[in-house]
Amino acid sequence: MSIPIEPSRSRVEALRRMAQALEQAGIAEARGDARFLFLHILRLTSTDLALRGHVPVGQEEANALTEALARRLAGEPVARILGEWEFRGLTFALSPGTLVPRPDTETLVDTALRLGTVPSPTILDLGTGSGCILIALLCAWPSARGIGIDRSADALATARKNAERNGVGYRAAFLRGDWCAAVCGPFDLIVSNPPYIASGVIPTLAEEVRRYDPAEALDGGADGLDAFRAIIDGIAARPGLLVMDGALLLEIGHDQAEAVAGLGRDAGFHVGGIDCDLAGHARVVTLRPPFDATSANNKVVR
């Protein structure tokens, strides 16, 4: 569907036309989506719009707005249209191989920061995607260093770009690998937002997620727990990967807390806590290692 935004329209009129088109299409957050797209594409602030809303949009601006509106009407999420999204006050570029950073994942970062760590922690981010978790932690801890692991070359390229963009590129490395198999330790903190949606549930997800998020970052196998098993068992099999007083933090689905905690206990971890997101849903499981973390077969990553 294409609804043109004419260059003769004022900024306020153009924004109103976009909002009306999205409302008529039944898009839930029509006004907010229209405003977000409009301000970003025209590189305006809300103050600019309030003070100079009468200014007519130019031809190039009208073309860009028309294209963005058509993409949103076709069901493409705002973040994908913009090619970037905000997470904890930082801006992250997106690509086909990355998830859009979501507020739920901020709970994982908040949990890590609340736990605290050594003055110069080493961090391992498994399934790093856009790098938003690792980069947010590096920004919060100026002396921390970290490694992000992903199977997707596209995601890794995007994460590297995001690390540079947010000023932590010199403290971050990104490697292609299968969970923790590509690295040695020890690490003070291991974090992950792995795929945790059961395969049978994926066809029922919202179209914006099902069509535009990478399937490999969503599909957690028949029961949604495949990635948790791989991560927990992989770390338990290599006790030197996580320091003795370190922590493994896992983002989970809202109904997976007991299952993931049980996987941790079965592998010899202590459950350090289960944290909830702002909606009150269980969102992060913290596992602590009881095993000897001084294996001579592992090396410190520097």
Side-chain angles (χ1 to χ4, degrees), residues 106-206:
E106 295 193 10
T107 306
L108 191 153
V109 177
D110 291 339
T111 300
L113 295 177
R114 189 177 65 255
L115 288 177
T117 184
V118 297
S120 301
T122 53
I123 305 166
L124 177 62
D125 181 14
L126 300 175
T128 193
S130 67
C132 65
I133 296 171
L134 176 60
I135 293 167
L137 289 171
L138 293 179
C139 287
W141 286 325
S143 59
R145 291 161 298 152
I147 295 176
I149 304 291
D150 209 287
R151 295 174 183 172
S152 166
D154 173 78
L156 291 170
T158 303
R160 290 188 188 101
K161 178 167 67 174
N162 284 327
E164 295 292 339
R165 178 179 190 171
N166 287 289
V168 297
Y170 66 101
R171 292 190 283 123
F174 296 94
L175 304 175
R176 193 172 187 182
D178 188 6
W179 301 122
C180 56
V183 293
C184 296
F187 292 92
D188 299 295
L189 179 67
I190 302 178
V191 296
S192 185
N193 174 20
Y196 55 68
I197 299 174
S199 301
V201 174
I202 289 178
T204 71
L205 297 176

Side-chain angles (χ1 to χ4, degrees), residues 262-299:
L263 291 174
R265 293 189 190 97
D266 291 345
F269 289 87
H270 297 305
V271 178
I274 297 173
D275 287 85
C276 295
D277 58 25
L278 293 177
H281 299 135
R283 189 59 60 190
V284 177
V285 171
T286 298
L287 299 177
R288 297 281 194 174
F291 40 67
D292 179 12
T294 60
S295 171
N297 294 324
N298 288 283
K299 297 180 293 183

Side-chain angles (χ1 to χ4, degrees), residues 33-63:
D33 286 0
R35 188 177 183 86
F36 208 96
L37 287 169
F38 185 89
L39 293 178
H40 189 278
I41 289 169
L42 269 58
R43 297 184 179 181
L44 300 174
T45 66
S46 296
T47 301
D48 293 331
L49 183 61
L51 296 178
R52 289 176 285 278
H54 63 283
V55 174
V57 297
Q59 183 64 61
E60 290 186 6
E61 292 175 328
N63 292 343

